[in-house]
Amino acid sequence: MTTVLHGLLAPSANRVYGQQAAALAAAELRFVLAHTVPGALEDVREESIAGMPTLRIELADWALDADIGGAAGEGIDAAARARVLTALARSPHIFGVFDEVGTMPAPEPVGPDREAAGPAVGPADGAAGEERLYVDEMPELPLLLPVRTPAVDRFDSTLLTTLKYQGKTNEQFTALMLSCAIAASADAHLIEDTSRPFTVLDPVAGRGTTLNQALMWGLDAVGVDLDKKDAELFRAFLTAWMRENRLKHTTSAERLTVNGQQLGSVFRADLARSKEEQRAGRGQSLTLFTADTTGLGAFIRPRSANAIVADLPYGVQHGARAQAGKQTRPPKAGKQTKNAALSRSPLQLVESALPAWSRAMTDGASLVLAVNRRTAPYPAMAEVLQQGGLRLLTEDGQFRHRVDRSIDRDIIVAVKRSHPASSTKGTPS
């Protein structure tokens, strides 16, 4: 037996991204379910129902039974069931989920000698004067029952959508990356364990799109970025947003000094939705370091990140420094020279920063990078990660999609070779 679900695709403000959303949603579900509920997904493909883009999702009956709205039925793996529904809830491309509980014959064509059951809304079909009541030309239509998925968002959507600026990463793509990071992390159980937080590190944080998405899903967030202007804009936004949404919160900002050297600055925020959450220790924390990501080992504790999610610069200045325009390895933290220019090479940035990033990862952590294949070809970035001691979980082109004329984007997911499940989840390398 197979349980068939239909996922109604969410609209996208970006036309180019929206045209590729169905393929990205399918790729996301294949990856996430393969790493959280192996064998549960039998097939996923694009479809259209009444002219609306959907995904047809076929699941093994042991993972999800027909009575989705009630308790898990006999023979159903309750834990697998919960993980499937959570994966669907986190998918940024799926607006709503429906269970196919049966089919019904499509309405008969309405002609001049037949009384219409209702207003004809479909295109002309066949003989003159005949129209269908539905847009689709399917001989049978599915009977669909809405499926209630877990509530994964903790805050109002304004946390993700208010801050607008040129070059901002699409919020749906950011959520896709974080969804894959959680699925690949062996520490994902911490999300339900209130005794310890699940911490997401974005080592190229920019203006905090990934940090905000982590907060939205109830996770702790740590960011690192050199750009003082970006850090100040993010700090001002988050502080105002917490105040306007009446969250219980505290903030602090101070210089970042390590062993007598000033490396930058640090902004910290602790927030909770209510006094009760705050008192019970169920709040969240965010830390943003304005400093060089290649030297984050000096101020971020080893093995403190359960996932690293980084949307690498697509040729924009970031991260490391180079003398007189020459691409060189960056100096040690605190030793940057006055006239140094920022490096434009994502490959060089990752090669220089990976040792520090890897030390910040727990043994079970995942690393998810978004790369522009034009400036950081997938094989070259994969080689950098493998030489740095990581194991790849994705293949070349698995999440490939076009952003614009100059950006051909893909995702690379990797884990440490010490990852407890790195050799058992179908890893490509």
Side-chain angles (χ1 to χ4, degrees), residues 71-363:
E74 185 178 352
I76 301 300
D77 184 332
R81 184 176 188 267
R83 288 194 290 270
V84 167
L85 292 176
T86 299
L88 294 170
R90 285 201 183 112
S91 175
H93 306 100
I94 296 179
F95 186 74
V97 181
F98 299 84
D99 181 20
E100 184 176 313
V101 296
T103 58
M104 62 173 283
E108 292 288 331
V110 178
D113 298 328
R114 302 180 187 178
E115 183 178 351
V121 296
D125 180 58
E130 290 194 350
E131 293 181 332
R132 282 194 181 276
L133 295 177
Y134 290 82
V135 174
D136 278 351
E137 298 299 320
M138 302 164 65
E140 289 188 329
L141 297 173
L143 289 174
L144 303 178
L145 180 69
V147 174
R148 183 183 295 276
T149 55
V152 295
D153 290 348
R154 291 174 60 87
F155 302 110
D156 187 83
S157 62
T158 54
L159 174 61
L160 305 177
T161 60
T162 299
L163 200 56
K164 303 288 186 182
Y165 53 90
Q166 185 176 3
K168 180 182 180 182
T169 304
N170 184 297
E171 294 94 349
Q172 291 175 316
F173 180 71
T174 300
L176 165 64
M177 293 178 65
L178 186 54
S179 175
C180 290
I182 293 171
S185 175
D187 303 332
H189 64 279
L190 295 176
I191 297 175
E192 305 301 328
D193 180 1
T194 57
S195 64
R196 289 186 295 164
F198 184 100
T199 300
V200 177
L201 168 63
D202 183 352
V204 287
R207 297 189 192 178
T209 306
T210 300
L211 305 183
N212 287 339
Q213 184 63 61
L215 292 178
M216 177 63 88
W217 285 350
L219 315 176
D220 283 4
V222 177
V224 182
D225 202 282
L226 263 179
D227 195 306
K228 295 180 181 179
K229 181 180 178 181
D230 281 353
E232 181 56 37
L233 288 170
F234 175 74
R235 183 175 74 172
F237 161 73
L238 186 65
T239 302
W241 181 85
M242 291 188 296
R243 188 182 301 118
E244 290 167 2
N245 286 270
R246 299 183 178 181
L247 301 182
K248 301 302 176 184
H249 67 277
T250 59
T251 62
S252 66
E254 58 189 6
R255 293 180 178 179
L256 176 63
T257 303
V258 178
N259 297 328
Q261 289 186 331
Q262 186 177 335
L263 305 183
S265 61
V266 56
F267 167 70
R268 293 186 173 90
D270 293 303
L271 61 153
R273 293 179 296 183
S274 65
K275 285 184 179 180
E276 291 72 26
E277 279 192 353
Q278 194 176 45
R279 290 169 182 162
R282 298 199 304 272
Q284 296 169 251
S285 71
L286 177 140
T287 307
L288 177 61
F289 296 96
T290 306
D292 190 339
T293 188
T294 62
L296 63 76
F299 48 85
I300 291 182
R301 290 185 296 106
R303 301 189 180 190
S304 59
N306 306 108
I308 290 181
V309 178
D311 188 10
L312 295 176
Y314 305 141
V316 178
Q317 291 185 342
H318 205 294
R321 295 196 176 253
Q323 292 289 339
K326 183 179 179 182
Q327 300 296 330
T328 62
R329 287 183 178 274
K332 293 181 180 179
K335 297 293 185 180
Q336 295 169 355
T337 58
K338 200 171 187 180
N339 299 319
L342 286 169
S343 168
R344 292 178 180 270
S345 167
L347 283 169
Q348 184 199 22
L349 170 63
V350 174
E351 185 178 11
S352 301
L354 189 58
W357 295 0
S358 184
R359 283 193 295 272
M361 297 168 64
T362 67
D363 285 343

